[in-house]
Amino acid sequence: MPHSFATVQSINDLRSAVRDARQNGRTIGCVPTMGALHDGHLSLVEAARRETDFVVVTIFVNPTQFGPSEDLAKYPRPLEADLAKCRAAGVDLVFNPEVETVYPTANATFVEVPGLSEVLEGAHRPGHFRGVTTIVLKLFNMVLPDVAFFGQKDYQQQLLIRHLVADLNVPVRIRTCPTVREPDGLAMSSRNAYLSTEGRQTALALSQALKIAEQSLCDDGQSPAEARARMIEHLTATPGLTLDYATIADSHSLEDLDEATSEMVALIAARVGTTRLIDNQPIGLSS
Ligand code: PAF
């Protein structure tokens, strides 16, 4: 059967396309995005195509997850290129609603995962995760997918979404897919487009620091405190980079670790010029 590709902007059209697919016995996969699609997003589409029968990509730059001084207005919106990538990648349906469709009235109802949404990214971007969990729940309620696919690059985000779904009994399975990197190690991100040639070189310090942490913990048998110090030393010695945080945390609670365990994650956020970048590396010591 030739592959059909459609785009819809209204919730009614979205629901009716998904209902038809489901009535034909197809399982529904959803890849929520804010557009400016890169190979990281396309790896989520590939996973969705492998694991489900009808793939919906949502493209929506969600205003409620941007702080007042953040890059909402200048966030890249290359819609035509995104649609071409979706079509070529075998996506069945793109849902790209207007802001007024998603938020017809000032949103009075928000969902929040307390605690976990207040540390690390949450501490540096107050209100960000409240916007993320709210839009993700709204998108789940609009698309009604069986499985939803997220990137591990946004480690804290996927953890919060897992909590949201478990706590509110949302009938969707969450899949977290590995971070896709450029050959030199830079994690793919829509925000990389903001980096100058020089800034892009500077940004390599994040993935380098993660490697240093991994080596420190796994090869050199050092403690999380030592690994953390080595990451911070590398990052703060990088000209043009301002560090927000670099830590070794428990991969579930995101609490800083003193003792090495089998479930750790190294997490970094830093600014290169005005571009804020995050990266992470799960690290497990085998016992
Ligand atoms: O990861 C993103 O692109 C966004 O935070 C998401 C999950 C699409 C919600 O707007």
Side-chain angles (χ1 to χ4, degrees):
M1 204 168 56
H3 171 249
S4 70
F5 172 75
T7 66
V8 288
Q9 282 77 45
S10 84
I11 299 171
N12 278 345
D13 289 347
L14 166 72
R15 286 216 171 116
S16 107
V18 170
R19 194 171 44 238
D20 287 352
R22 190 164 269 129
Q23 273 168 2
N24 287 329
R26 300 164 86 181
T27 54
I28 314 299
C30 179
V31 181
T33 81
M34 298 208 299
L37 303 181
H38 50 66
D39 285 354
H41 295 113
L42 298 180
S43 77
L44 303 179
V45 169
E46 269 169 39
R49 286 194 64 200
R50 273 197 309 273
E51 296 172 31
T52 62
D53 306 318
F54 186 82
V55 176
V56 182
V57 168
T58 69
I59 299 181
F60 179 65
V61 182
N62 172 40
T64 64
Q65 69 188 77
F66 287 78
S69 62
E70 292 184 358
D71 54 349
L72 173 63
K74 73 163 190 152
Y75 197 84
R77 291 167 171 85
L79 185 61
E80 288 311 314
D82 285 348
L83 296 181
K85 285 179 190 173
C86 286
R87 182 193 283 273
V91 170
D92 296 283
L93 188 71
V94 170
F95 176 50
N96 63 312
E98 297 290 338
V99 174
E100 295 71 30
T101 303
V102 175
Y103 297 110
T105 51
N107 225 55
T109 307
F110 282 86
V111 281
E112 209 158 358
V113 181
L116 204 54
S117 67
E118 289 150 37
V119 299
L120 300 172
E121 282 306 282
H124 286 267
R125 303 181 67 187
H128 167 66
F129 283 128
R130 186 176 99 133
V132 169
T133 41
T134 301
I135 189 62
V136 168
L137 184 59
K138 280 166 77 74
L139 290 169
F140 286 169
N141 285 335
M142 293 176 200
V143 180
L144 301 174
D146 297 293
V147 191
F149 298 79
F150 295 89
Q152 183 196 281
K153 153 88 170 27
D154 292 296
Y155 189 89
Q156 192 173 1
Q157 169 174 281
Q158 59 82 37
L159 206 55
L160 284 162
I161 291 166
R162 286 173 179 277
H163 276 270
L164 167 81
V165 160
D167 290 350
L168 299 183
N169 306 93
V170 184
V172 60
R173 194 158 65 79
I174 303 300
R175 282 270 289 109
T176 304
C177 300
T179 302
V180 178
R181 297 182 179 279
E182 304 282 359
D184 60 9
L186 182 69
M188 291 203 184
S189 161
S190 304
R191 290 192 165 95
N192 291 350
Y194 300 146
L195 294 169
S196 64
T197 313
E198 196 189 345
R200 202 192 161 298
Q201 278 304 110
T202 307
L204 293 180
L206 277 80
S207 53
Q208 288 162 356
L210 293 173
K211 285 245 168 304
I212 290 171
E214 194 170 19
Q215 191 188 345
S216 158
L217 290 159
C218 301
D219 302 340
D220 304 343
Q222 293 185 318
S223 69
E226 285 163 321
R228 196 178 291 125
R230 283 179 62 184
M231 283 203 293
I232 292 172
E233 190 187 348
H234 182 72
L235 290 159
T236 51
T238 303
L241 182 144
T242 312
L243 182 60
D244 277 353
Y245 61 80
T247 191
I248 312 288
D250 175 81
S251 59
H252 301 286
S253 70
L254 297 186
E255 277 167 20
D256 282 353
L257 284 172
D258 295 326
E259 303 286 333
T261 71
S262 58
E263 294 182 329
M264 300 179 277
V265 59
L267 299 136
I268 299 174
R271 279 164 287 136
V272 174
T274 53
T275 306
R276 194 161 179 286
L277 300 171
I278 57 173
D279 202 352
N280 69 81
Q281 179 62 52
I283 302 169
L285 288 192
S286 40
S287 44

